[in-house]
Amino acid sequence: MPRQAPVAVGDTIVTGGRSFIFPQGIPIGKVDSFTLDQNESYYTLQVQLFNDMTNIGHVYLIEHEDKEELQALEDIND
């Protein structure tokens, strides 16, 4: 997490939608603790996940039908 972002214990972490893998707004977990090295520009977060990933029995796969078009548009903007 960039050091410019305000961070507090208990904050909820959600997906930001800046990836072609995860859509925006999926709750991931909450901030348990965080540290900031004075020589670094990022926080290191310890996040307590909302789901126990070692105990998942069923998952849903989401096909992103517009992935190629979105990737092409992003490449144009870079």
Side-chain angles (χ1 to χ4, degrees):
M1 179 75 65
R3 76 183 299 163
Q4 294 84 2
V7 178
V9 171
D11 283 353
T12 300
I13 303 297
V14 297
T15 55
R18 294 185 178 176
S19 126
F20 293 111
I21 299 171
F22 301 104
Q24 182 176 4
I26 297 175
I28 303 297
K30 66 177 182 173
V31 176
D32 199 35
S33 65
F34 62 93
T35 58
L36 174 64
D37 185 332
Q38 295 301 327
N39 298 323
E40 298 293 329
S41 58
Y42 290 91
Y43 290 104
T44 300
L45 304 177
Q46 295 297 318
V47 177
Q48 182 177 353
L49 301 176
F50 289 139
N51 293 309
D52 179 359
M53 299 302 195
T54 63
N55 227 1
I56 293 179
H58 295 87
V59 297
Y60 291 97
L61 299 179
I62 301 170
E63 183 178 353
H64 199 311
E65 295 176 356
D66 300 324
K67 180 180 178 181
E68 291 178 16
E69 181 179 358
L70 291 170
Q71 183 67 54
L73 291 170
E74 185 175 277
D75 291 344
I76 290 170
N77 291 327
D78 285 343

